[in-house]
C-alpha cells in the first residue's frame, strides 16, 4: 500500500500457487455368472492433476470526507489445469488366461482467465441515511480441451464422440445501490436494487454459439427490523439472488469404469 495523500491510498496485491497431485492405482475386477467366475480384469489407472494459479490486484481508495469514500479495484486471475490420465486394462478368462488388452489415454487442459473491475461509492446523509452504490464488470474466457484415444495395433486412435475443445466467453455487467434508513433507535430498513446483464457464448472448434445467451435481470433486496424490547425483535426480509456454477464445474472430465 502507498499513501498518496491524507485522502488517497493505492495498493497492489499478488498471489499464486501450484498444486501437483498424482495417482497410480490397480483395480481387480471379477465377473460372475451362476456364482462362477467368468471374467477377470486387471485395470491399472494413472492420473496426474496440476493446477497453477496466479492473480494480481490494483486498488485505490479515496476519502472525499470522513463519511464519503470511493473505492476502485481491478483484478486479474489465471487458472490452468493439466489433468491427463491413462487406463491399461487386461482381460482374463475363468482359467486366468490372458485374452485381450485395452489401452486408453485421456488428456484434459483447462485454462481460465478472468478480469474484474469494480467501483464503489459510500456516503451518509446525516446520521440516519446511508447510501451505497457501485458498478462491476467481469470478463471471463474459459477453455476445456478433452481428448480420448484408444490404442489399436500400436496406433492411437481418437474417439470423436469423446474428443472436443470447448471455449466459453462470459461477460457480466452490474449496477447496484442500497439505502440504509434508521428511523429511530428501534426501527431500521435497508432497501436495494441490483441490475445485471449477462452475455454467454459457448463454442467448439467446429461449431459456434452452441449456447448464445444474452439477458438482463433485476435483483431487489428489502430488509426491515423492529426492536421490541431488550430480548426480542421482529424482522422481515426479501431478496432475489442468482447462484452460478464455478467454471471448474463446467469443465467435464471423462472417467471409465469397468
Amino acid at each position: 500500500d502507498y499513501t498518496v495523500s491524507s485522502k488517497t491510498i493505492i495498493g497492489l496485491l499478488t498471489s499464486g500457487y501450484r498444486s501437483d497431485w498424482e495417482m497410480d492405482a490397480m483395480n481387480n475386477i471379477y465377473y460372475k455368472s451362476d456364482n462362477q467366475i467368468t471374467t477377470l480384469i486387471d485395470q491399472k489407472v494413472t492420473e496426474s492433476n496440476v493446477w497453477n494459479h496466479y492473480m494480481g490486484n490494483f486498488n485505490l481508495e479515496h476519502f472525499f470526507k470522513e463519511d464519503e469514500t470511493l473505492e476502485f479495484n481491478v483484478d486479474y486471475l489465471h487458472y490452468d489445469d493439466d489433468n491427463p490420465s491413462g487406463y491399461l486394462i487386461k482381460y482374463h478368462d475363468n482359467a486366468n488366461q490372458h485374452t485381450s488388452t485395452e489401452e486408453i489415454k485421456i488428456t484434459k487442459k483447462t485454462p481460465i482467465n478472468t478480469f474484474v473491475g469494480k467501483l464503489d461509492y459510500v456516503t451518509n446523509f446525516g446520521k440516519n441515511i446511508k447510501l451505497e452504490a457501485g458498478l462491476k464488470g467481469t470478463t471471463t474466457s474459459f477453455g476445456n480441451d478433452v481428448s480420448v484415444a484408444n490404442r489399436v495395433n500400436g496406433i492411437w486412435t481418437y474417439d470423436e464422440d469423446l474428443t472436443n475443445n470447448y471455449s466459453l466467453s462470459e461477460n457480466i455487467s452490474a449496477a447496484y445501490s442500497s439505502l440504509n434508513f434508521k428511523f429511530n433507535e428501534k426501527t431500521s430498513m435497508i432497501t436495494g436494487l441490483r441490475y445485471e446483464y449477462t452475455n454467454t457464448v459457448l463454442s467448439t472448434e467446429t461449431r459456434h454459439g452452441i449456447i448464445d445467451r444474452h439477458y438482463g435481470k433485476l435483483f431487489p433486496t428489502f430488509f426491515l427490523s423492529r426492536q421490541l424490547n431488550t430480548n426480542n425483535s421482529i424482522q422481515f426480509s426479501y431478496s432475489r439472488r442468482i447462484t452460478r456454477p464455478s467454471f471448474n464445474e463446467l469443465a467435464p472430465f471423462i472417467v471409465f469404469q469397468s
Side-chain angles (χ1 to χ4, degrees):
D1 290 329
Y2 176 71
T3 302
V4 179
S5 68
S6 60
K7 293 185 176 182
T8 305
I9 300 172
I10 61 173
L12 296 172
L13 172 67
T14 184
S15 67
Y17 68 77
R18 177 182 173 89
S19 174
D20 193 342
W21 176 85
E22 293 185 0
M23 180 189 74
D24 191 347
M26 178 64 75
N27 300 313
N28 303 114
I29 303 160
Y30 303 87
Y31 287 95
K32 287 185 176 182
S33 178
D34 296 328
N35 208 31
Q36 298 293 321
I37 295 176
T38 58
T39 305
L40 297 89
I41 301 175
D42 296 329
Q43 179 178 270
K44 182 179 181 181
V45 182
T46 58
E47 181 181 350
S48 66
N49 195 344
V50 180
W51 271 97
N52 292 304
H53 163 64
Y54 54 84
M55 65 83 67
N57 164 268
F58 169 80
N59 58 84
L60 181 148
E61 186 175 17
H62 181 74
F63 300 88
F64 297 102
K65 51 187 179 181
E66 184 178 354
D67 56 0
E68 184 180 10
T69 61
L70 182 70
E71 292 186 12
F72 175 67
N73 278 271
V74 176
D75 296 274
Y76 169 71
L77 302 96
H78 173 80
Y79 295 90
D80 187 87
D81 181 30
D82 188 3
N83 186 198
S85 60
Y87 294 79
L88 178 60
I89 307 169
K90 295 183 178 181
Y91 298 88
H92 305 267
D93 60 20
N94 57 1
N96 203 22
Q97 297 296 314
H98 178 256
T99 57
S100 62
T101 299
E102 185 178 5
E103 276 189 84
I104 302 171
K105 71 174 181 180
I106 303 171
T107 62
K108 175 180 180 290
K109 294 186 177 181
T110 307
I112 304 171
N113 295 284
T114 301
F115 287 93
V116 182
K118 188 178 180 183
L119 183 68
D120 289 307
Y121 175 75
V122 179
T123 188
N124 289 344
F125 298 100
K127 296 182 179 180
N128 298 324
I129 301 177
K130 181 179 180 180
L131 170 68
E132 298 181 21
L135 300 170
K136 184 176 181 180
T138 303
T139 298
T140 301
S141 62
F142 160 86
N144 194 49
D145 188 356
V146 177
S147 66
V148 177
N150 295 273
R151 192 170 186 175
V152 182
N153 298 323
I155 300 175
W156 288 105
T157 303
Y158 286 94
D159 188 328
E160 294 184 358
D161 293 330
L162 300 176
T163 299
N164 219 324
N165 186 2
Y166 285 85
S167 62
L168 183 141
S169 175
E170 184 173 74
N171 303 308
I172 302 173
S173 303
Y176 45 89
S177 65
S178 67
L179 281 172
N180 188 331
F181 297 91
K182 188 175 182 181
F183 297 104
N184 51 51
E185 293 298 324
K186 294 185 177 182
T187 307
S188 63
M189 181 180 71
I190 300 174
T191 179
L193 186 63
R194 178 185 180 95
Y195 176 77
E196 285 191 6
Y197 190 82
T198 301
N199 295 295
T200 305
V201 179
L202 175 68
S203 304
T204 68
E205 292 180 332
T206 57
R207 184 181 173 189
H208 178 75
I210 298 174
I211 294 176
D212 193 353
R213 188 170 52 202
H214 313 276
Y215 63 90
K217 296 287 185 180
L218 285 171
F219 300 94
T221 299
F222 180 79
F223 178 85
L224 181 65
S225 177
R226 171 71 177 180
Q227 189 75 32
L228 301 179
N229 51 48
T230 304
N231 298 316
N232 297 279
S233 64
I234 186 170
Q235 296 178 347
F236 172 80
S237 64
Y238 168 81
S239 65
R240 186 187 185 201
R241 301 181 181 181
I242 186 170
T243 300
R244 294 183 173 91
S246 70
F247 287 102
N248 193 33
E249 292 173 317
L250 295 175
F253 181 58
I254 297 171
V255 176
F256 290 96
Q257 293 182 329
S258 298

